Amino acid sequence: DGGAGGTVRITASRMVAFHLLPRIITGMRAAYPDLQIELVPSDTTENLLFREADIALRMYRPRQLDIITRHLGDIPICLCATENYVARHGAPVSVADMTRHAFVGYDRSDAILDGMRAAGLPATRAMFAVRCDDQPTYWELVRAGAGLGFGQLPMVQATPGMVVLPLPDGVAMPVLPVWLATPAELRRVPRVARVWDRLAEALVPHLS
């Protein structure tokens, strides 16, 4: 079916699906009321070639053959905490000072540990006073003041009560690359092209 209307299935990480896509999809539906959108929040890799989704929003470059990709930009990552946490415990002023703070970290996943070490922080699992692998729940723990955490800079800046903390000398946060991907045979299908273009247009203001 090559029509301009119909259903388009989008998959994205749970954080992006929860925090960014609802408004974007609402605007998309207002512009194109003949479209129906299926949103699949998932931190696993859906297989585009098996049509588990028509368009994927990835935080890495897809490497599958016969997939069209577009790099939209990068989301900066920042160290953050609540205003109340900073008022009670202060902000870390050096790499050594960070070890006295409680962090919210992942449980079974080593992603935050690996990221902290790559950024120049001597991180250990013992620094994580609270641990959770589910990213939306992780963010709510940070937002509740359970400890220092890491977040997407635009989301942290848009959240009342959150503070972006300066990084100690020698520490550099990574960025999250944002890629759109779709099977090559779908890229020019009118309804998929509509959603692809709208996603790109709406997401770019959130990226660096």
Side-chain angles (χ1 to χ4, degrees):
D1 179 4
T7 300
V8 177
R9 189 174 178 86
I10 305 168
T11 184
S13 73
R14 297 187 68 218
M15 288 295 286
V16 169
F18 186 86
H19 289 281
L20 290 181
L21 291 188
R23 290 184 201 173
I24 292 173
I25 289 172
T26 299
M28 195 182 300
R29 284 275 304 124
Y32 306 123
D34 57 340
L35 283 177
Q36 294 88 49
I37 304 297
E38 295 176 349
L39 178 59
V40 184
S42 175
D43 293 324
T44 62
T45 301
E46 275 65 33
N47 194 322
L48 294 174
L49 296 181
F50 286 97
R51 297 299 301 276
E52 293 174 3
D54 300 312
I55 296 176
L57 189 59
R58 303 287 197 220
M59 301 305 177
Y60 57 88
R61 183 174 187 175
R63 299 291 183 182
Q64 291 172 288
L65 298 177
D66 300 320
I67 296 293
I68 301 295
T69 61
R70 178 181 171 187
H71 180 218
L72 299 181
D74 303 311
I75 299 178
I77 300 298
C78 66
L79 178 66
C80 61
T82 63
E83 294 173 348
N84 288 338
Y85 179 93
V86 175
R88 294 195 314 270
H89 304 287
V93 296
S94 66
V95 171
D97 189 36
M98 295 186 82
T99 61
R100 73 176 179 85
H101 285 272
F103 279 80
V104 180
Y106 289 159
D107 181 19
R108 296 181 181 181
S109 169
D110 290 331
I112 291 181
L113 272 177
D114 293 343
M116 291 175 71
R117 290 165 181 166
L121 297 171
T124 66
R125 182 177 166 82
M127 294 172 65
F128 298 156
V130 183
R131 307 179 186 107
C132 180
D133 284 330
D134 180 74
Q135 290 191 19
T137 306
Y138 169 92
W139 172 242
E140 289 304 308
L141 287 165
V142 176
R143 201 167 70 88
L148 303 184
F150 301 93
Q152 299 175 17
L153 181 60
M155 186 176 70
V156 175
Q157 292 173 326
T159 302
M162 293 300 299
V163 178
V164 177
L165 299 177
L167 295 173
D169 291 341
V171 177
M173 285 291 102
V175 296
L176 285 176
V178 179
W179 291 81
L180 282 179
T182 190
E185 76 263 17
L186 294 183
R187 178 63 184 93
R188 297 303 174 189
V189 172
R191 66 177 179 276
V192 175
R194 278 176 160 187
V195 174
W196 175 283
D197 293 342
R198 192 82 182 194
L199 283 172
E201 177 185 355
L203 285 167
V204 164
H206 298 277
L207 309 176
S208 62

